[in-house]
Structure formats: C-alpha cells, structure tokens
C-alpha cells in the first residue's frame, strides 16, 4: 500500500529525514517511536503533502507517485493525517467542515455526495461510537475545544472519512484513559476492513489497545531498529539512548 | 476645473427658480468649494486617499451639471428580490421615486427643504459641493413610536451614458422618539468614471433606532464618497454596516454625535477588495455626554493591488464619563501588493472611561490551509472556507436577520 524508499528531507538545508525506508501493507499497523525532534511529524507532513520541504527519494501509495499528488488528491486517494496539534479554525462550523470534507472526497471518487440528512445521521452515529459530545459539532472547528477533545475530533474525522491509510501523530498524547480506549476502538474498527495505520506515539500504552504488527525506532531522521510489539516494551524500559 | 465649475453652476442656477434663501445657501457652498477644491493628502483625514489625485487619474476632467429637469430612464434595475421593501430610487443624483408602499401613510412625512441660510456646520468641501449642486433637498420624517414594517432600500443608480460626471444626492432623516428605520443602500452602476457624492443627515430622537446597511458589491469603475452625519439623543441606537467592495474607490465617512445619555453607535464593516480598488472607512464617534457606548469592527480581505484604509476615531469630551468605546480591525492580505492601513485615533478628555483599540494584518495561515486540504478540500475551497470564517464574526454583528442572510449570500458564506 505504502512504499517509502530512501526518503530524505531538509528544511533550510537542515537535514531532518535521511534515507528513510518503510513499507506498509494493507491491514498492517506500524508504530513509530522516537525522541522529540527525531522527525516523526515531518514524516507525517511529507506524506500528507505539506509544502516547504526539500525532498529526495520515492514514496508510492498504491503504486501512485505520492509527490506528484497535491495534498487534497492524497486525501481523495485515502490518506489521512490525525494532526499532533489540530488547528483551530475560527468561524468555520465543525459540521459544515466535516460535510464539506466528506463530500469533496466522495466527489473526487465519483461517489454520490451525502445530503444534509444522510450526513447528520452518519455523524450522529460516529459521534456516539466515539463518545464525542455532539453539541461540540455545532461549534467552530476546534475553537475552545480541550486538548483531548481536539484529538478525539481528529479520530471522528478519520472514522467519517474512512481512509485507507491513517497516520496518527501522537493522537494518544493528552487523552484520558477512557478516551484512549475509544480512540483505539475507532482504529480497530477501521483496521478490520483491511485499512492500514502508521501510529506515532511516545507511549507503549496505546499499543496495548492497538496491537501493532511492527514497531520502528526513529532517531535523527532514520529508522535505527525495527521489531514486533515487544520492541515498544523494551524502549519503555531502556529509553532511546540504550537501544542499539 | 474652476472654469467648468463656474459654467456648470451658472447653468444650474438658471434651471431652477430658487428662492433667495436657497440660492444664497447654494452660492455660499459653491464659493466654499471653489476655495477648497477636492480634498487632498495634505488634509489629515485624506492622507491615505488623495481624492483630488484619484479623480484626476481615474476620471480626468469632471463636469458638474446634471439636467435634473429631464426624466431619467430607470432602465431595468435589479431590485432585491430576497425581501420586501420600500424604496427610493436615485438616478444620477436625482431622486426619481419615493415609495413607502408598505407603511402607514400618516407615519411618514416627506418634505422638500430649502437649505439653511447660513452653513451651520462646515464639514468638508465635498459637503459644500453636494449642497451647491444636488437636486432638491428632501427630508424624511418617521413619526413618534413608528417602526417601519419593511426596510427602506435606497438604490443609487447611474445612467449608462453618464460619464465623467459628478453627481450629488442628499437626504435628511428624522426619527422621532422611539421610531425605527432600517435603511439599506444599494449601489448599482451601469456607468463608468463618475464621482458620486452622497450625503445623509440623521436626527435620532430619544430611543429611536437606525440601522443603515451600505452594500457596494457590484463591480464598477466609479469613485464614491458617502457621508453619514448622525446626531443621537438619549437611548438611541445607530448601527452602520458597510460592505465595501465593488467600486473603484469608495470612502465612507460616518460621523456620530452621541448627545444623549445611553445612546450608542455601532460601526462595522467588511472590505472585500480586488484588483486596484481602494476603499476607506473613516469614523468619528463623538462621545459628548456620560454613559454612551460605541463599538467598531472592520475586517478586510485584500486581493492583488487593492488597498483598504480604516481611520477610526473615538473622541471623548471631558463631560463624557463612563464612556465605553471599542474598535478593532483585522486584515488578511492575499497578495504581497495589497495594503491595509489602520489609523486608530483616541482623543480622550474624561478620566473614567473604558476605551480600547487594536489592529492586525497578516496573510492567510498556510498551516490552516494545509489542515483543510489534508481533508480533501482544494486550495480554493480551503481559502474560501478560511476567509468566510474570518468574516463571520463581523457578519454576526448585523442585528437584522434578513439583511444578515442577504449579505451572507452576497459573500457566498454558506452554512
Ligand atoms: N518548519 C521547520 N523549520 C525548521 N525546522 C523544523 C521545521 N519543522 C521541523 N523542524 C525541525 O525538524 C526536527 C524534527 O521535527 P519534528 O516535528 O518532525 O519532530 P518530532 O519527531 O515530531 O518531535 P516531537 O516528538 O516533539 O513531536 C526538529 O529538530 C525540528 O526543530
Ligand atoms: Mg511531532
């Protein structure tokens, strides 16, 4: 599904990712752990099409050259990024935004767009599953949301948009234990349908609820070690300094 | 220009048999204008918008005579269809039609005025020009306790073949105690390269309410100046909202004298500018007694080489304790060549007041754009959504729901 070959990225001549390699197959869950500043969010941003990086290397998503696609085209093809710091968009109603987003994607795929009633039904259902306070959906997007509510809103968007590849950039940071479980339920529900995940986290706790197929350790822009779920436990005990 | 002015003024005097009083009034104003000419940047009020220069470079030589004896063809005007309304139609500065068909006839009085013998307030040269050249002065009185059932829409039209002309129109309004008027100005121009000069006087008696919405949305190459002079007695409210967009140049000047306690003035606006359009809002809110309030919010979205100017003045006299005055302006610059100038002025002579001002400008937030695009919106859609969001809070300041929706539609703000 996703193939990253020798990806290097720089900002203002500062090297952030170097010869990064990763392959994710349908239905797989990969976790990336790494110290602050190691390049995790940079990787997520590049996969989603954020501008401002000098990149070399190759990224294929279902055999499409990702770099030839605009940000929104990647979303249309099924890539979703749950932001580490979801943005507040004043004046934009959350429901309006969700509907615009869903229908933009449906339209690009040649699917039938949802009307207001169908959309509300879907949102209600998903919000309930994720125990997301529906009242918040009539507010401005993320404005006045708590840190955890913003993260949950990302997962709500994910489950509404139903992406093939979801990148979760520290979605667990700032979530309480119950929220963590509901988020994990959301992920696991999508996973059943053969969707893939790239989960960035600092804590192995999330990985107890979402069992990853692979765990990778990212340091200084490179994957220095890969393994199974046990690697997360080892990291938790030893810290990054003592992993080789 | 001086030659032309004199010729045109002579013609005008010949056309009408003015009473001595009116003749004198017009002549005095004419002389004042001759002396001062069009405002230029040497005047503090005009330093961002040198009207003299703007007229020269966009119009060239103006003529000032309009044949007000002839009937104007009111060719197909697009009336607003969204809401029922009373209307006044002004063509090339002349009031062609006054129609209060939705109202009780005895509650509205329309007078033709003579003009004062002496000029009480010498506001600026454009008002002099207006007083000298405008057609008949008209005064509309809304009687005590009467709220108009429907809004009054004033259509400002120009004939297609009108060119390089200055047109002047003036209407005075009096809202008696507890009266209420919703007034919408719509600018529709079929012409090019004219200078429209519009002057309103409002007397707001105790507890009366005026809502004036000025909508300049259709694209045109005319130059416009509009002056609202509002005098407010106790407990009266004036709400002004300006959607400044379509004209080549438009300066809206709002003067509010808060003369009675607990009177309040709201001046809000949007600059939605493209190309090389240059627009300005200049407000003077004069807090002259205790316990008055003013609020101003102006938002700008500026494309290409457009330029917006907001000069907001809050004056608080030494008697005006407990004044509450607030003003804020925010601008989004969508191009490196667009320009926003904000000049807040606070002149405060009382000590127990609450006044604040603020201003910001910046480009569209690229991170927000990325966020929206990562959800499948293309750049254009993401930009539109952000801009609509940016404008929403000032649109929400419009207290009349119908007008709010009308303006949302005009701006393409969806919900
Ligand atoms: N726009 C930018 N300009 C300059 N440097 C940047 C920029 N974005 C990221 N960096 C730098 O790149 C490095 C990697 O940043 P990144 O945000 O990818 O780290 P991260 O692994 O997500 O860290 P964290 O765990 O704290 O979220 C950091 O040193 C950061 O300072
Ligand atoms: Mg990060």
């Amino acid at each position: 599904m996703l193939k990253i070959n020798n990806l290097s990225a720089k900002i203002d001549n500062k090297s952030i990712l170097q010869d990064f390699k990763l392959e994710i197959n349908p239905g797989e869950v990969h976790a990336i752990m790494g110290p602050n500043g190691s390049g995790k969010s940079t990787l997520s941003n590049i996969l989603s099409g954020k501008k401002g990086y000098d990149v070399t290397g190759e990224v294929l998503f279902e055999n499409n050259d990702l770099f030839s696609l605009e940000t929104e085209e990647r979303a249309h093809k099924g890539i979703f990024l749950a932001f580490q710091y979801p943005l507040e968009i004043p004046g934009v109603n959350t429901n309006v935004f969700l509907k615009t987003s869903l229908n933009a994607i449906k339209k690009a795929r040649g699917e039938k767009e949802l009307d207001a009633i169908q959309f509300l039904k879907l949102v209600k259902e998903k919000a309930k599953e994720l125990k997301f306070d529906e009242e918040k959906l009539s507010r401005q997007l993320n404005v006045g949301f708590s840190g955890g509510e913003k993260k949950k809103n990302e997962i709500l968007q994910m489950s509404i948009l139903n992406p093939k590849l979801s990148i979760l950039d520290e979605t667990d940071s700032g979530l309480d234990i119950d929220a963590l479980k509901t988020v994990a339920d959301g992920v696991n529900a999508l996973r059943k349908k053969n969707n893939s995940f790239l989960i960035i986290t600092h804590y192995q706790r999330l990985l107890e609820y979402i069992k990853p197929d692979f765990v990778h350790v990212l340091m200084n822009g490179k994957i220095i070690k890969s393994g199974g779920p046990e690697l997360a436990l080892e990291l938790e005990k030893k810290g990054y300094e003592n992993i080789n | 220009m001086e030659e032309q002015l004199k010729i045109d003024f002579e013609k005008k005097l010949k056309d009408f048999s003015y009473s001595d009083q009116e003749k004198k009034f017009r002549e005095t104003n004419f002389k004042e204008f001759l002396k001062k000419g069009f405002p230029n940047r040497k005047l503090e009020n005009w330093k961002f918008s040198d009207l003299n220069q703007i007229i020269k470079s966009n119009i060239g030589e103006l003529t000032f005579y309009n044949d007000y004896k002839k009937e104007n063809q009111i060719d197909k005007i697009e009336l607003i269809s969204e809401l029922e309304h009373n209307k006044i139609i002004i063509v090339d500065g002349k009031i062609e039609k006054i129609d209060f068909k939705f109202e009780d006839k005895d509650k509205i009085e329309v007078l033709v005025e003579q003009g004062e013998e002496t000029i009480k307030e010498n506001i600026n040269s454009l008002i002099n020009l207006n007083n000298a050249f405008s057609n008949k002065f008209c005064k509309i009185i809304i009687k005590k306790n009467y709220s108009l059932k429907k809004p009054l829409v004033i259509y400002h039209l120009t004939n297609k073949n009108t060119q390089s002309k200055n047109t002047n129109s003036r209407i005075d309004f009096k809202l008696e105690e507890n009266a209420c008027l919703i007034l919408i100005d719509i600018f529709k121009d079929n012409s090019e390269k004219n200078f429209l000069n519009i002057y309103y006087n409002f007397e707001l008696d105790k507890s009366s309410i005026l809502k004036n919405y000025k909508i300049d949305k259709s694209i045109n190459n005319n130059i416009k100046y509009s002056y609202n002079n509002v005098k407010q007695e106790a407990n009266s409210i004036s709400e002004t909202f300006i959607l400044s967009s379509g004209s080549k140049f438009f300066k809206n000047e709002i003067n509010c004298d808060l003369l009675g306690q607990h009177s309040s003035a709201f001046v809000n606006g949007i600059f939605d500018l493209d190309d090389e359009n240059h627009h300005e809002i200049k407000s003077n809110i004069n807090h002259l007694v205790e316990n008055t309030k003013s609020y101003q919010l102006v938002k700008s979205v500026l494309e290409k080489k457009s330029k917006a100017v907001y000069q907001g003045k809050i004056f608080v006299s030494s008697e005006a304790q407990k004044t509450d005055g607030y003003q804020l302006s925010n601008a989004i610059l969508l191009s490196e060549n667009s320009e926003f100038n904000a000049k807040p002025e606070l002149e405060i002579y009382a000590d127990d007041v609450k006044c604040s001002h603020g201003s910001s400008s910046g480009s569209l937030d690229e991170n927000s754009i990325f966020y929206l695009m990562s959800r499948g919106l293309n750049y254009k859609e993401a930009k539109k959504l952000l801009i609509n969001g940016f404008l929403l809070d000032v649109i929400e300041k419009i207290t009349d729901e119908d007008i709010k929706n009308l303006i949302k539609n005009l701006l393409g703000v969806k919900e």
Side-chain angles (χ1 to χ4, degrees), chain B residues 127-234:
Chain B
I127 303 300
N128 296 135
L129 177 70
N130 198 309
N131 284 336
F133 280 100
S134 55
N135 195 30
K136 297 187 186 90
F137 306 133
C138 157
K139 182 166 189 168
I140 294 169
I141 299 166
I142 316 288
K143 298 290 183 186
K144 195 171 166 179
N145 295 329
Y146 188 68
S147 290
L148 268 73
K149 298 190 177 79
K150 301 286 173 191
L152 167 64
V153 177
I154 301 187
Y155 291 94
H156 301 264
L157 312 177
T158 46
N159 272 321
K160 235 195 311 264
N161 45 10
T162 303
Q163 219 196 49
S164 306
K165 284 227 159 146
N166 160 232
T167 69
N168 299 283
S169 51
R170 169 176 165 177
I171 305 180
D172 296 349
F173 294 87
K174 183 179 173 65
L175 275 60
E176 291 186 354
E177 192 176 335
N178 212 22
C180 175
L181 170 68
I182 296 175
L183 170 61
I184 306 168
D185 287 289
I186 303 265
F187 299 89
K188 293 243 172 176
D189 304 74
N190 291 321
S191 65
E192 282 197 358
K193 300 192 173 185
N194 298 292
F195 171 54
L196 280 67
N197 185 10
I198 298 138
Y199 173 32
Y200 290 155
N201 276 305
F202 297 95
E203 288 169 65
L204 304 192
D205 284 356
K206 268 188 272 171
S207 304
S208 62
I209 299 174
L210 166 71
K211 300 182 183 185
N212 183 200
Y213 303 107
K214 295 177 184 289
I215 302 178
D216 170 50
K217 189 69 181 106
S218 61
I219 294 166
N220 69 88
N221 271 323
N222 286 328
I223 309 288
K224 298 185 179 111
Y225 174 71
S226 157
Y227 187 89
N228 271 18
N229 195 13
V230 191
K231 308 240 178 276
Q232 298 188 229
E233 295 302 335

Side-chain angles (χ1 to χ4, degrees), chain A residues 11-12 14 16 34-42 84 170 202:
Chain A
I11 295 184
D12 306 332
K14 183 185 166 210
I16 300 175
N36 296 131
S38 55
K40 303 180 300 294
S41 294
T42 304
Q84 181 175 3
E170 294 194 31
H202 285 296

